[in-house]
Amino acid sequence: MLLLSNHHRHRSSLLPLLRLLHHRHRSNQHFSTLSHPPLRPLDVPLSQPTYMIWSSNTSLGKTLVSTGLSSSFLLSASSSSTSLSLFPSKKFLYLKPIQTGFPSDSDSRFLFNKLSSLSLRRQARPSLSLSDSVIYSSVSAAKSVLSDKLQAQAKEFGSGMYNLNIREVNENSGGGEAVSELVCKTLFAWEEAVSPHLAAERESGVVGDSEVLEMLDKCLREGLKSDRERMEVLCVVETAGGVASPGPSGSLQCDLYRRVIVCRDSNSNFVIIMFSEEVRPFRFPGILIGDGRLGGISGTISAYESLKLRGYDVVAVVFEDHGLVNEVPLMSYLRNRVPVLVLPPIPQDSSNDLMEWFDASHNVFNSLKDIMLSAHSKRIQRLHDMAKRAGEVFWWPFTQHGLVPEETVTIIDSRCGENFSVYKGQDIESITQQFDACASWWTQGPDAALQVTLSQMTSFVIEILWFQTELARDMGYTAARFGHVMFPENVYEPALECAELLLDGVGKGWASRAYFSDNGSTAIEIALKMAFRKFSCDHGILLDFLNNNTAERVIKLKVLALKGSYHGDTLGAMEAQAPSSYTGFLQQPWYTGRGLFLDPPRVFMCNSKWDLSLPEWLHAKIVKLQDMIIHAAGGMHMIDPLFQRILVNECRNRKIPVIFDEVFTGFWRLGAETAADMLGCVPDIACFGKLLTGGVIPLAVTLATDAVFDSFVGDSKLKALLHGHSYSAHAMGCAAAAKSIKWFKDPQTNVNIISEQKLLRELWDLELVQQISSHPAIRRMVTLGTVCALELQAEGCNAGYGSLYASSLLRKLREDGVYMRPLGHVIYLMCGPCTSPELCRQLLIKLHRGLEDFNRVEEKVRAC
Ligand SMILES: Cc1ncc(COP(=O)(O)O)c(C=O)c1O
């Protein structure tokens, strides 16, 4: 059987194809003009404990808890539970990103005033310096604050927000030398006491999520910066309303703070994701203010679940005692894993200054503060130890452990869209973002997916649907509904929907059956079994067998496959690939390589031009092919479909079943939904995996034609395909696949889709690609769809799969926020089908920068 794979794992030459894509016109720009100005450091500081204060609903006492925490932190002796207690003075940073009802309501001012009174009441030592500032407000809110001055200056802030920048300061000299600090900041305020999205719209002061995050980022940096040497710091970011209350743009707050920053592309009227460094989600751990009233258990649990579903950690739940003992069912629900604290009833009389209530709550706030500080130190300790522990307990695939020093282990705290959030422990602890340029072994599709609608009245209402959150929600639902259910002779919705979508999508026009498995290698083994049977049927072997005529004949079935291809690491899949580093004696002494392996023509870009390298055996006959490739070279058009297409046709003529291994290429990896679409011919059997589920959970599928299926049909069970895996057609995998298949091809959710052509638009900037392909460090380059691969100029032991030649380049790129993993001296950038071309352009710029440095060092080495 013919086994075609469009991915060659240990070579950079990808499928010899160029796409029928019109490259969008670009002006003749060069690196100097394309480069962004120097970027700010990328890190979210982790050195100081920073917590989000969430609430299951509005008016449950978030600000009272923030105030109580600040008093416990600033006005009592240092906690003995952390080493930070050695610091002589302290700082409590309170940030309120979104405030409505301003100026009559101001949570930051409330905290400022109350702490001032509490510090006097408790005769705080050391001295306390307090400040409260409000940075931006709507124009109407600003008018109430600065009515005289305002008229001339209103509208200074583009979105109708006014740069209010007011600050109130209070020095409470309690004696003693060291000065502790309370810093309160409201970032954006609106006048009406309604939901922020409504207030923002009514007061013409819509603020995008990116603006909120940018400002929060700035305030955190300023607030946490220089203080670590001399101060013990605790920071809280208090949200507005409930966990799922909308922010000013309409995004739910639980999504807003886990969101990547986006900006509007003024030319094309849709939203693009900004440069990877700008992507800075805040996955700070949280305190959830629950509801002690009737109905509060339900609201509190819902809020808790909403946070967990989005990957937030909640370290404690706190609520006001309403005499209903809500803590008992809550603690039982949380299985005592999250502490639940109960505050005394809050006096309702508005003339009550709450001083006595704060005194009565003092112990609860002390406990809460201790929980927060200790959870923080435990988190840091765990992150700090993880690399060492990993080296002791893991056996990593494709890894020579002796070559991985502890300091090079990447500690991934979480994933946000296309980025890893990586823990950095050197100097200052922080979480930094690295673009996952391996697409986590070529599986990834989730991005900060975008959907933009134009509001009738004003400019944009930006609705951002985050694919990762969507997938997580679907996974949660499916796990809750099905868990795992056995597949044979059963049907359930996710599996049925997924099979139907596959047959109507990647299998359209040829496949009629979907056979589910867990991973690419097993999908290949299933395909081989199918193909063996089909071949045996078509060539009378099966009939002979059934008639007991085979005793005399030795039947040796072989595959016809391409050299350099890779079909997985299980023993059967390995038999179908040509000898390589993976199949050699060191790896697999059983390997025989049961195939005829052809050397295919390979296509690449070098010095800005597409080129074709021909195997020896094709030289004499290839003139016609070469012509086609030269025609294609200028604009990413198709190259050489002939070689594989002719091979497929020849196999057909000889009744040899054809398998397409689309485990790597399927689902837009190369710019079309399948590589078969690009080849212009269809297989008898095809295998899919990796991007099939959007990269969230393992699943693979082998699709087959009716004719292949029919070769297994009969009266005896023994004639059926007796192959299966415990998790075949896993409901969560199928649900993720159904979502991803639809998501990737819908222009509403994937702005890269050129729907009329069923192709992705060009993602890699042609000029940059050409410049890189002309770089002296590069031997050849291929860009196709989501893949940009290049082979470094390397000779001798610097070349090949075992080479460490690219290590220094990749180290530099990781420092620059791009996580890559080499295939020897071949390196690649890989994005997802929804990644913005702008982001790809920035990746290319970084790659070029890295190559420049790499080349300089190499030249020095050569000169020595
Ligand atoms: C073309 C191709 N086929 C098969 C496989 C094996 O898939 P898996 O790793 O899921 O077993 C891979 C994996 O990289 C692949 O690239």
Side-chain angles (χ1 to χ4, degrees):
M1 25 264 67
L2 174 62
L3 183 62
L4 283 185
S5 150
N6 297 321
H7 169 62
H8 301 171
R9 196 166 188 158
H10 62 285
R11 307 252 178 127
S12 71
S13 65
L14 297 167
L15 178 72
L17 289 173
L18 288 177
R19 304 175 354 189
L20 274 165
L21 259 188
H22 296 288
H23 195 276
R24 77 207 132 104
H25 170 78
R26 294 192 60 90
S27 58
N28 204 13
Q29 294 160 308
H30 294 284
F31 275 109
S32 52
T33 51
L34 289 169
S35 300
H36 272 243
L39 289 150
R40 293 176 293 147
L42 337 173
D43 305 350
V44 171
L46 205 62
S47 49
Q48 312 291 3
T50 302
Y51 281 88
M52 305 286 292
I53 306 288
W54 300 99
S55 178
S56 58
N57 207 338
T58 190
S59 305
L60 291 178
K62 284 189 295 292
T63 313
L64 289 177
V65 171
S66 300
T67 310
L69 275 172
S70 70
S71 82
S72 165
F73 184 71
L74 292 173
L75 307 180
S76 39
S78 288
S79 162
S80 54
S81 60
T82 72
S83 57
L84 298 172
S85 58
L86 301 172
F87 292 105
S89 59
K90 302 177 190 175
K91 175 175 180 175
F92 190 88
L93 177 63
Y94 170 86
L95 300 176
K96 179 84 182 177
I98 296 160
Q99 173 75 59
T100 56
F102 181 82
S104 46
D105 270 354
S106 167
D107 294 341
S108 66
R109 196 180 56 234
F110 176 91
L111 201 159
F112 168 82
N113 287 336
K114 285 289 173 237
L115 199 77
S116 189
S117 311
L118 281 166
S119 75
L120 290 174
R121 181 180 172 89
R122 297 194 190 151
Q123 297 175 336
R125 282 169 174 275
S127 303
L128 189 60
S129 145
L130 306 96
S131 71
D132 174 39
S133 14
V134 182
I135 304 175
Y136 282 103
S137 79
S138 67
V139 172
S140 48
K143 277 182 183 160
S144 326
V145 183
L146 306 165
S147 49
D148 296 343
K149 289 194 204 161
L150 176 74
Q151 308 305 326
Q153 307 161 29
K155 286 275 174 196
E156 188 180 289
F157 192 59
S159 60
M161 296 297 280
Y162 180 74
N163 188 354
L164 193 59
N165 231 344
I166 51 171
R167 185 157 184 265
E168 202 177 334
V169 182
N170 189 350
E171 305 283 342
N172 267 1
S173 184
E177 302 228 323
V179 175
S180 285
E181 272 182 68
L182 171 76
V183 177
C184 301
K185 279 187 187 174
T186 298
L187 278 46
F188 296 94
W190 292 264
E191 190 176 29
E192 235 188 306
V194 291
S195 173
H197 75 290
L198 213 55
E201 194 187 304
R202 289 184 184 167
E203 293 168 42
S204 304
V206 175
V207 174
D209 296 350
S210 53
E211 286 159 311
V212 175
L213 295 186
E214 287 271 18
M215 185 57 72
L216 178 56
D217 181 48
K218 184 165 173 273
C219 293
L220 280 168
R221 265 159 222 287
E222 283 168 8
L224 300 177
K225 196 165 57 185
S226 58
D227 297 312
R228 65 185 283 279
E229 297 304 328
R230 57 181 187 94
M231 282 186 147
E232 179 182 355
V233 181
L234 178 59
C235 171
V236 300
V237 179
E238 188 182 297
T239 57
V243 161
S245 299
S249 75
S251 314
L252 307 187
Q253 283 180 80
C254 49
D255 289 330
L256 196 165
Y257 296 102
R258 276 287 274 145
R259 177 144 294 161
V260 296
I261 294 176
V262 294
C263 76
R264 200 169 302 141
D265 176 346
S266 50
N267 298 323
S268 58
N269 272 2
F270 53 70
V271 169
I272 59 168
I273 306 165
M274 283 179 74
F275 194 20
S276 62
E277 275 94 338
E278 301 290 345
V279 178
R280 202 173 288 107
F282 297 104
R283 201 191 73 87
F284 293 124
I287 303 298
L288 175 62
I289 314 305
D291 191 343
R293 297 169 304 183
L294 190 62
I297 298 165
S298 168
T300 308
I301 290 175
S302 304
Y304 178 82
E305 292 300 341
S306 297
L307 291 172
K308 294 299 278 186
L309 191 67
R310 286 161 176 84
Y312 282 108
D313 299 320
V314 176
V315 303
V317 176
V318 194
F319 63 84
E320 179 195 355
D321 189 3
H322 284 266
L324 297 175
V325 208
N326 280 4
E327 64 273 24
V328 174
L330 273 177
M331 274 154 65
S332 148
Y333 177 80
L334 297 168
R335 298 193 188 282
N336 294 328
R337 281 191 299 256
V338 180
V340 178
L341 290 83
V342 183
L343 290 163
I346 303 164
Q348 293 307 302
D349 177 4
S350 56
S351 63
N352 187 315
D353 69 0
L354 297 175
M355 289 297 116
E356 283 177 11
W357 182 83
F358 278 113
D359 288 346
S361 313
H362 197 57
N363 286 342
V364 180
F365 287 127
N366 275 347
S367 305
L368 181 60
K369 175 201 68 183
D370 287 347
I371 289 168
M372 291 161 74
L373 296 180
S374 128
H376 174 75
S377 0
K378 278 192 196 139
R379 180 184 180 202
I380 299 291
Q381 192 59 50
R382 182 70 178 156
L383 286 166
H384 189 263
D385 295 345
M386 277 171 88
K388 182 165 181 293
R389 286 297 290 142
E392 288 163 357
V393 300
F394 288 161
W395 187 342
W396 283 300
F398 288 100
T399 301
Q400 175 49 265
H401 277 241
L403 298 175
V404 185
E406 193 181 308
E407 61 278 10
T408 63
V409 175
T410 303
I411 302 156
I412 301 176
D413 179 65
S414 61
R415 177 181 194 97
C416 176
E418 294 159 293
N419 280 16
F420 293 149
S421 293
V422 171
Y423 168 72
K424 291 270 172 237
Q426 295 95 355
D427 304 331
I428 300 177
E429 278 106 0
S430 62
I431 296 284
T432 190
Q433 300 296 306
Q434 283 182 355
F435 183 88
D436 174 11
C438 300
S440 279
W441 259 344
W442 320 331
T443 59
Q444 291 301 300
D447 71 326
L450 315 167
Q451 185 182 342
V452 180
T453 51
L454 196 59
S455 138
Q456 272 92 331
M457 316 266 288
T458 52
S459 57
F460 285 104
V461 173
I462 303 168
E463 193 187 327
I464 303 156
L465 302 172
W466 191 8
F467 190 23
Q468 201 174 326
T469 308
E470 290 253 334
L471 277 175
R473 204 161 31 224
D474 282 10
M475 295 297 86
Y477 167 79
T478 312
R481 181 169 165 193
F482 295 103
H484 172 50
V485 292
M486 183 148 185
F487 187 47
E489 298 177 53
N490 297 335
V491 60
Y492 37 95
E493 189 52 46
L496 185 58
E497 189 192 6
C498 180
E500 286 171 347
L501 283 165
L502 285 163
L503 297 176
D504 195 38
V506 292
K508 194 172 179 124
W510 66 272
S512 61
R513 297 283 167 172
Y515 203 103
F516 289 109
S517 58
D518 309 345
N519 57 59
S521 313
T522 46
I524 291 289
E525 302 222 343
I526 291 162
L528 288 169
K529 288 185 182 178
M530 289 176 176
F532 294 146
R533 172 69 63 81
K534 178 76 172 72
F535 185 88
S536 305
C537 279
D538 289 350
H539 295 265
I541 301 169
L542 191 70
L543 205 60
D544 280 358
F545 171 82
L546 294 174
N547 295 335
N548 256 342
N549 291 342
T550 42
E552 303 300 306
R553 285 170 54 184
V554 180
I555 296 156
K556 275 194 183 162
L557 294 175
K558 285 194 168 194
V559 296
L560 175 62
L562 302 184
K563 275 192 187 163
S565 60
Y566 171 88
H567 303 296
D569 294 329
T570 55
L571 299 181
M574 290 174 89
E575 287 300 306
Q577 56 207 45
S580 72
S581 313
Y582 310 114
T583 59
F585 182 82
L586 268 178
Q587 296 301 329
Q588 217 273 64
W590 274 0
Y591 173 78
T592 53
R594 278 180 262 186
L596 173 63
F597 301 108
L598 295 179
D599 210 358
R602 295 192 170 92
V603 178
F604 54 92
M605 184 185 267
C606 183
N607 287 327
S608 308
K609 292 203 176 69
W610 286 102
D611 208 345
L612 176 71
S613 82
L614 297 175
E616 280 294 310
W617 64 275
L618 264 177
H619 267 289
K621 306 176 191 163
I622 208 67
V623 180
K624 209 169 165 200
L625 275 178
Q626 245 178 345
D627 278 347
M628 282 186 69
I629 284 151
I630 290 167
H631 281 163
M636 294 288 265
H637 293 290
M638 175 171 168
I639 56 159
D640 194 12
L642 280 181
F643 176 74
Q644 297 202 57
R645 204 188 298 163
I646 288 170
L647 217 50
V648 170
N649 290 341
E650 285 305 309
C651 289
R652 282 265 146 68
N653 294 339
R654 291 166 172 75
K655 289 199 170 175
I656 298 173
V658 176
I659 302 169
F660 282 0
D661 176 354
E662 297 240 31
V663 171
F664 172 76
T665 55
F667 300 104
W668 308 98
R669 185 51 80 217
L670 298 186
E673 194 171 16
T674 66
D677 293 346
M678 302 161 100
L679 273 184
C681 57
V682 294
D684 301 291
I685 301 163
C687 307
F688 296 89
K690 297 200 186 273
L691 262 169
L692 168 63
T693 62
V696 78
I697 195 165
L699 184 80
V701 68
T702 308
L703 299 187
T705 59
D706 257 337
V708 173
F709 177 75
D710 287 345
S711 61
F712 287 86
V713 174
D715 298 334
S716 162
K717 185 166 181 182
L718 298 178
K719 201 185 169 196
L721 180 45
L722 303 182
H723 185 123
H725 296 279
S726 319
Y727 288 98
S728 291
H730 190 251
M732 290 167 80
C734 291
K739 168 129 247 152
S740 308
I741 292 168
K742 289 185 276 186
W743 188 278
F744 291 147
K745 68 168 126 199
D746 181 352
Q748 291 291 307
T749 46
N750 183 1
V751 292
N752 286 337
I753 290 286
I754 307 170
S755 48
E756 57 298 352
Q757 292 177 47
K758 294 198 182 139
L759 290 169
L760 296 183
R761 63 180 161 152
E762 183 51 49
L763 300 177
W764 306 101
D765 184 294
L766 181 61
E767 282 137 37
L768 291 178
V769 168
Q770 285 176 339
Q771 286 189 48
I772 292 172
S773 78
S774 309
H775 196 278
I778 297 304
R779 177 166 298 150
R780 61 195 169 90
M781 185 163 182
V782 175
T783 55
L784 199 58
T786 66
V787 183
C788 169
L790 37 99
E791 181 181 340
L792 299 172
Q793 292 279 8
E795 306 298 339
C797 62
N798 282 336
Y801 183 73
S803 148
L804 303 176
Y805 186 59
S807 307
S808 62
L809 170 62
L810 297 197
R811 213 168 27 248
K812 157 95 180 86
L813 281 159
R814 284 190 190 184
E815 279 161 22
D816 216 5
V818 187
Y819 179 97
M820 293 166 79
R821 207 180 136 85
L823 298 162
H825 68 300
V826 173
I827 60 172
Y828 61 90
L829 294 168
M830 196 179 296
C831 62
C834 311
T835 308
S836 83
E838 172 58 18
L839 184 53
C840 295
R841 199 174 69 91
Q842 297 295 341
L843 291 171
L844 289 176
I845 291 171
K846 288 186 171 196
L847 179 60
H848 186 263
R849 205 155 59 199
L851 285 168
E852 292 281 88
D853 288 352
F854 179 72
N855 206 41
R856 260 193 299 277
V857 173
E858 282 303 305
E859 269 171 9
K860 263 193 208 148
V861 171
R862 278 194 289 272
C864 289

